[in-house]
Structures are given as structure tokens and as C-alpha cells.
Amino acid sequence: MKKKKFNLSGAFAFILAVLILLIFVPINMIFSYYDKIFDMTPTGRYTIDPVTVEILDKNADKDVEIYFLSQLVDLQNVPRYLPLYHTLTELDKRDNVTLTCFDPNADTELMNSLNPDGRFDVGLADIFVKSGDNVRHIPFGHLFQQDSNNIIEYCGENLIAGAIHVCTTGELPVIYFLEGYGENTLENSYRDYADYVKGNNYEVESLDLSTVDSVPKDTAIIYLAAPQQDISMDDRQKLSEYIDNGGAISMLLPPCETEGRFENIEYLLAKFELAMDYNIVKETNEDYMHKNPNVEDDGTKYDGNYFIVSYPYPAEDATEDLTTDLNNQILKGTLTAGLSHARSFYELSSSSEMIEKNTIIENLPLNEEATDFSTESIPMGGDDITAAEAKEKTKSPLALGYYSYNKQTGAKLIAIGADDFLDNSRTTEKLSGSRMLATFSNTWLYDTDTDMGIAKKSNTYDTMIFEDGNEASKAIRLFFIIPAAFALAGVAVWLKRRYA
């Protein structure tokens, strides 16, 4: 009689499975209870970066408030938002950090305390970081970005750490208003605007370039506003070096009666392939006029110096967009498109692939084809040559504002032919669109998001690249068909031994 063999493989597998459950299920429950997570992702998506830890440790004696304009569960339930969820929860564990989550539409009182004058364009799931009187706003759209391969990258920790650093240290970038070229100064003309801009995370100060050797290193943006005379050759050199090193400058150049050309200012504009007209633009079509705010309203008083303008959408080949958000607010009726006491600009014939420039303010045409215009171009300042050029531009399309960007050096320019919309005594609600354009332009000229050097974090995907179909077929056989054949052979052997 043939002796029967005992096969314990089935029983052994069962016992092994039970032991694994007995060991790992309690361990998993323990880690879940204590909210302990092991981050096995290659980019550390769920781990606080050492840079963030260092910033928090250095400022452990300062209270930091973080406001998330939604609920954490909204992040926890969406896998791609989990890195932000873990960043916020880890920060909340620090003794000096307080995390507050709320619905901005429900708790309007808290929302208004963070955004008292509506200076920030706030959306759901945005983040506010506050320490003392310093407040930083981080739009949710900045926290997650797509790379060139359409892979979502998490940038939130870098932005939040930067906001904490700025709010706790008070190291804000500085906007300098240049003085010494006319009557308009920061204190007597632009203080209201400066106070508003401070809420957007800038310091605003005045600067006389003749008193310094070069543009200060902490400069974010230089404002050259309403000069009544040309800048000096020495100041031109300082600003030229600043521009060549990637500086940002905003030129508000309303018309003035000063005779002669502003050759040094023209030199700086030419670096961005732009030039200015020596004129004052006046609207002749009453339908396009605004009322003069400085004249008593009798119900009929319109002034051709105050007129409606357009803010052109970006050209198809443009990489920069300064007007879309502005136009959306104008369509909603929250802002009014207008300009007053303005001069125009034009592009120089030279053109470089490294310079991108487009209009941001234009006069309105009389028809959809944009062939007829009603604005008058009246010579002002300059010389006989510029006067003749100015007259030729009557009833023509005019550029009243430009942006220009040097892609090689990173230098940026905003040029607008007016300053009424920023002036304390001459601004009006009818100019609110241009005022907001200047405010939006600050962010384009210099982004206040502080880069702390924390790398973007993304999911990593293993890929294989094949030169042709034959190579792909070989790989399929190697990695799929052959292992499957071995697996089937193993199953056959197991079955044979199982019933032997």
C-alpha cells in the first residue's frame, strides 16, 4: 500500500496570514490613533521641509496666525490636495501657530478683519498668514501649479514658509517714489495710494537718487511719477544700471509744458523699445467723456480731458497678462475705465525677440472696425519736431499705456501717460480702472511671494521610452509574458504536488 503524503502548505499559508493580521492590524490602529504617518514619497509630499522648521524655530517667540478659507476635510478628501492638508496640520502643532479654518461667506466679520478695504481679490480656499500687523495673502491657485508635462506640483509650503518669514521679520520689499524732478512727491500727492499698496505687502518710501551711489539693493520697484523736468545724466546712469540688472520701473508720465525733450527719460524708455509723445490727449466725443470731478456738477459739465479708455486683452503671442482680471471687474461694474490729462506712447522701429511689449491702455474707437477715432492730440512741451508729430496723431489709435519685458535680463517696465488716478487730490471713481491697473502691475513688476528655496513637490511616475514598436514588444514579453508563463508553470507544479 502506497504511503500517503501530508501536505501542510495550505495550513501553513493560513497560519501565516493570521499572524500577519495579528501583527499589522494592531500596529496600523496604533499609528492611526496617534496620527503617525511615514512619508514614503520620493519628494516628501507629506513632510515639513527643514527650511520651514528652521523658520519656525527662529520665530518661536512670535505668534503666527494662519487662516484657511475653507475646511480641512475639503482637502483631506481630495488626494491631490493632501500635501496642503499635511502642511497645515503640521504647522498647527507648533505652540506659536494658530490655524483657523472658516467659510468667508459665512463669517464675514472675520473676513473683513483680514481684508478690511477689499485690497485682496479673495477666493475660496485662499490662505492668510498674519503676525502682528503684517498680513500676507496666498491665493489657492498659487499653491498647486502644473509643470510643462501637466503634472500637478505642490508649491504651497514654499509660499506659506515665505509668508511666515516676511510677517515675522517685517522684511518687506520696498517701492521707491523718485523725487527731485517736480512738485509731485510721495507725501503731498501719492500718500493714499502708498498706504493702500502697503496692504499688498510692500514698504513705500521716497528716494532722491542724487543722494545715493546707486539704486538701493532692497528696491522692488522704482516709480518715476509726473516729472516736470528731465532726470540728470547721473540719475540716468544709476537707473540704466538698475534696469540692466533686471530692475522693475513704473513710469507715470503725464503731459507737461516744459520746453525741450526729456532725453534721459527717452533713453530709459528706449531700453524697452518705447518712446513718448509730447502731447496731451483730449476726447472730442461727449459720449466718451467723464465729468470733471473738480468742477461743480450741474448735470451737463463734461470735460474732454477725462475720458473712457479700453484695457486691451493680451495679444495671442503674449506671455504676460495684465488686463484680464481688470476687465472682469469692469464688466462686473466694480471699476470704471477712465483716464485723464494723458499723453501717448509709441513703439520704436527696432524690435528684438528678447523684448515683449504690448499696450495696456488705448483710446476708444468710434466703430467696431477701429478705423475712426475722436481723440485730439494737442502738442505740449517738447520742440517743433515733437509738436508736428503730435498733431499728426489726432483722430488716430493711441497707446496711452504699455508694458515691456526684457526676457533676457528680466527687466520690466510699466509706462502710463498720466498720474491723476494716483494723485490724492485729483483721483476720482471714474479713474478707478486705471488705479487698479497700476496696483495689479505692481505684482507683475515684482512678485511679493518670497522664495524660501523649498522645492516643488509632485507625484513621481516611472516611465519607459522605446525607440520603436519592436523594442516595446520585447519589453512586454520580458516583463509580462515571461513572468506570466513562470507563474502558470508554478501553479501547475503546485497543483501536481497538491494532488499527488
Side-chain angles (χ1 to χ4, degrees), residues 90 127 239 299:
E90 288 299 311
I127 290 175
L239 290 173

Side-chain angles (χ1 to χ4, degrees), residues 9 33 75 86-89 145 294 313 329 345 376 414 426 459:
S9 58
Y33 179 80
L75 299 175
H86 285 287
T87 296
L88 294 176
T89 53
Q145 301 173 14
N294 299 312
Y313 286 94
Q329 292 200 33
F345 300 87
E376 184 179 5
I414 292 294
R426 290 180 284 131
N459 285 328

Side-chain angles (χ1 to χ4, degrees), residues 359-413:
T359 59
I360 52 177
I361 308 178
E362 295 178 352
N363 57 337
L364 286 180
L366 293 172
N367 51 30
E368 293 183 0
E369 294 77 19
T371 56
D372 297 322
F373 293 81
S374 54
T375 45
E376 184 179 5
S377 176
I378 304 170
M380 180 174 286
D383 53 27
D384 292 341
I385 296 176
T386 62
E389 293 172 344
K391 291 178 181 178
E392 292 177 355
K393 297 190 175 182
T394 291
K395 295 187 177 181
S396 298
L398 297 175
L400 306 168
Y402 266 100
Y403 81 79
S404 184
Y405 170 43
N406 189 317
K407 299 177 182 178
Q408 186 172 19
T409 66
K412 294 180 177 181
L413 168 75

Side-chain angles (χ1 to χ4, degrees), residues 111-151:
M111 187 67 257
N112 290 335
S113 69
L114 295 172
N115 191 28
D117 51 11
R119 67 188 60 167
F120 300 116
D121 186 12
V122 179
L124 194 64
D126 286 0
I127 290 175
F128 281 85
V129 177
K130 182 178 180 182
S131 183
D133 294 331
N134 298 324
V135 180
R136 296 296 299 267
H137 169 236
I138 307 173
F140 182 76
H142 292 184
L143 302 173
F144 295 89
Q145 301 173 14
Q146 278 189 336
D147 67 5
S148 58
N149 296 316
N150 295 324
I151 295 177

Side-chain angles (χ1 to χ4, degrees), residues 148-423:
S148 58
N149 296 316
N150 295 324
I151 295 177
I152 299 295
E153 295 180 315
Y154 172 56
C155 314
E157 185 180 347
N158 186 46
L159 297 177
I160 295 171
I164 293 173
H165 169 75
V166 169
C167 288
T168 52
T169 62
E171 296 177 359
L172 297 176
V174 182
I175 294 177
Y176 284 107
F177 275 75
L178 298 185
E179 296 186 355
Y181 314 119
E183 297 177 357
N184 288 11
T185 66
L186 174 61
E187 289 305 322
N188 67 22
S189 299
Y190 311 117
R191 176 47 59 189
D192 291 346
Y193 175 71
D195 290 342
Y196 180 84
V197 168
K198 282 185 175 181
N200 291 335
N201 307 312
Y202 298 95
E203 288 289 353
V204 184
E205 300 178 8
S206 59
L207 174 66
D208 185 343
L209 273 180
S210 66
T211 64
V212 295
D213 295 330
S214 61
V215 174
K217 292 183 178 180
D218 62 355
T219 302
I221 304 168
I222 288 287
Y223 264 71
L224 177 58
Q228 300 297 302
Q229 63 190 55
D230 197 7
I231 64 175
S232 68
M233 181 64 74
D234 190 39
D235 288 356
R236 173 182 122 169
Q237 181 62 29
K238 294 170 186 175
L239 290 173
S240 181
E241 291 176 357
Y242 171 70
I243 292 170
D244 291 342
N245 289 319
I249 186 166
S250 181
M251 293 190 184
L252 308 181
L253 305 174
C256 66
E257 297 179 350
T258 307
E259 293 185 7
R261 302 180 69 133
F262 288 7
E263 293 180 356
N264 292 326
I265 292 178
E266 288 187 44
Y267 175 85
L268 297 178
L269 285 170
K271 281 182 167 288
F272 295 93
E273 299 182 351
L274 296 175
M276 65 181 185
D277 291 310
Y278 289 81
N279 66 346
I280 181 169
V281 177
K282 192 169 184 177
E283 182 60 67
T284 63
N285 180 1
E286 189 170 295
D287 290 338
Y288 290 170
M289 295 181 191
H290 287 308
K291 294 180 180 180
N292 186 335
N294 299 312
V295 176
E296 186 176 350
D297 187 5
D298 60 1
T300 60
K301 189 65 176 179
Y302 285 88
D303 188 336
N305 290 311
Y306 293 79
F307 51 93
I308 303 172
V309 294
S310 68
Y311 307 101
Y313 286 94
E316 291 184 2
D317 58 346
T319 63
E320 312 300 309
D321 181 1
L322 281 74
T323 56
T324 296
D325 289 342
L326 174 64
N327 281 310
N328 289 339
Q329 292 200 33
I330 291 173
L331 290 173
K332 292 177 182 177
T334 56
L335 296 172
T336 303
L339 205 63
S340 63
H341 299 104
R343 82 162 76 223
S344 58
F345 300 87
Y346 61 93
E347 298 181 16
L348 295 176
S349 56
S350 60
S351 181
S352 167
E353 292 183 356
M354 290 294 100
I355 302 290
E356 178 181 322
K357 52 190 181 295
N358 279 297
T359 59
I360 52 177
I361 308 178
E362 295 178 352
N363 57 337
L364 286 180
L366 293 172
N367 51 30
E368 293 183 0
E369 294 77 19
T371 56
D372 297 322
F373 293 81
S374 54
T375 45
E376 184 179 5
S377 176
I378 304 170
M380 180 174 286
D383 53 27
D384 292 341
I385 296 176
T386 62
E389 293 172 344
K391 291 178 181 178
E392 292 177 355
K393 297 190 175 182
T394 291
K395 295 187 177 181
S396 298
L398 297 175
L400 306 168
Y402 266 100
Y403 81 79
S404 184
Y405 170 43
N406 189 317
K407 299 177 182 178
Q408 186 172 19
T409 66
K412 294 180 177 181
L413 168 75
I414 292 294
I416 300 176
D419 79 318
D420 283 1
F421 54 88
L422 296 191
D423 191 281

